[in-house]
């Protein structure tokens, strides 16, 4: 059984594709962005897999940061709603500004999620 598995993983066929120097650089750049060797990148794309960039990981980290911001803003709102003494000096304008900040932070999060989840055409 192991011999059969080894035969399946050893590739015998090589494909040659002529490209312009600019195309070669773009392919290499895309492979680097996906953190893959060029051969693996081309094999994956050629088989219909969508290449994922390591930039997507940065966007996920950004979403985590925004989520933390929302948590902190929500905590302030909760303190105010429970009449906590630490928020006694909060005016209505401050609370409205807080609600506005929560809404804009949610919009920012949704925008990033759309960029990450909806592939560019």
């Amino acid at each position: 059984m192991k011999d059969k598995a080894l035969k399946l993983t050893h590739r015998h066929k090589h494909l040659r594709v002529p490209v312009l120097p600019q195309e070669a650089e773009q392919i290499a750049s895309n492979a680097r962005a996906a953190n893959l060797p060029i051969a693996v990148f081309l094999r994956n794309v050629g088989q219909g897999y969508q290449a994922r960039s390591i930039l997507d990981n940065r966007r996920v980290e950004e979403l985590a940061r925004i989520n933390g911001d929302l948590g902190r803003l929500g905590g302030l709102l909760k303190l105010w709603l429970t009449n906590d003494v630490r928020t006694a000096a909060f005016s209505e304008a401050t609370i409205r500004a807080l609600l506005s900040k929560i809404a804009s932070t949610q919009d920012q999060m949704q925008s990033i999620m759309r960029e990450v989840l909806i592939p560019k055409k």
Side-chain angles (χ1 to χ4, degrees):
M1 189 76 160
K2 277 187 176 182
D3 293 323
K4 189 174 186 177
L6 285 175
K7 287 181 183 177
L8 290 176
T9 59
H10 185 69
R11 293 179 172 87
H12 296 285
K13 181 75 175 161
H14 292 265
L15 301 176
R16 292 191 61 230
V17 180
V19 295
L20 297 171
Q22 303 91 327
E23 293 170 330
E25 182 50 43
Q26 183 64 53
I27 291 168
S29 175
N30 291 344
R32 281 191 303 274
N35 201 28
L36 293 172
I38 293 173
V40 174
F41 174 79
L42 288 174
R43 186 169 37 252
N44 289 349
V45 171
Q47 293 180 71
Y49 297 109
Q50 184 177 5
R52 288 286 186 196
S53 169
I54 58 174
L55 298 176
D56 292 342
N57 293 335
R58 292 188 187 120
R59 298 306 250 166
V60 170
E61 289 170 1
E62 190 175 351
L63 287 171
R65 179 193 57 77
I66 293 169
N67 188 51
D69 292 346
L70 279 174
R72 286 184 286 283
L73 293 169
L76 284 174
L77 183 60
K78 182 180 176 182
L79 286 175
W80 181 77
L81 289 172
T82 59
N83 295 320
D84 189 284
V85 293
R86 295 173 284 183
T87 61
F90 283 16
S91 67
E92 181 180 335
T94 301
I95 298 305
R96 291 197 181 279
L98 176 64
L99 291 171
S100 176
K101 180 68 176 168
I102 289 172
S104 70
T105 304
Q106 287 175 322
D107 291 343
Q108 183 184 11
M109 186 178 242
Q110 289 173 351
S111 173
I112 292 171
M113 285 190 291
R114 274 192 295 277
E115 288 176 25
V116 171
L117 298 175
I118 299 173
K120 295 177 184 172
K121 294 180 180 176

